[in-house]
Amino acid sequence: MTEPDGSTPADDIRTADDFARYLAWWHGQNPGVVFTAVAAAIDGDHGRLLWDAEQGGARAGGVDVFDFDADGRVRRVWSVGGQRSMRS
């Protein structure tokens, strides 16, 4: 995710702790944003999630693609956000 200042701090996430710190920071920068899962699928080592984010009546969507390790933990994630709802 590219931030308004052009930085991409999510690119530095490597551990669960990094992710937790990033989420806390992101929600602090974007209070009141609500994420909703629209559709999900898991196919062996891979998963997909379509989601919407909403704030103040405005809605935008995106997709996350996951790779899982042998224990079922997330190993890698790709995330892309858009400017329209995934429900439309």
Side-chain angles (χ1 to χ4, degrees), residues 5-82:
D5 67 0
S7 66
T8 55
D11 288 353
D12 295 330
I13 296 171
R14 298 289 180 265
T15 68
D17 287 339
D18 291 346
F19 185 58
R21 279 190 295 277
Y22 174 76
L23 281 180
W25 172 84
W26 193 91
H27 281 288
Q29 300 296 307
N30 301 277
V33 174
V34 176
F35 286 87
T36 303
V38 174
I42 296 176
D43 180 19
D45 295 337
H46 311 286
R48 285 137 339 257
L49 174 67
L50 302 179
W51 51 266
D52 274 352
E54 188 170 358
Q55 181 180 34
R59 187 182 295 157
V63 61
D64 294 340
V65 178
F66 302 89
D67 285 349
F68 301 107
D69 69 14
D71 295 322
R73 295 176 298 203
V74 174
R75 183 171 56 88
R76 186 174 293 133
V77 177
W78 294 268
S79 185
V80 178

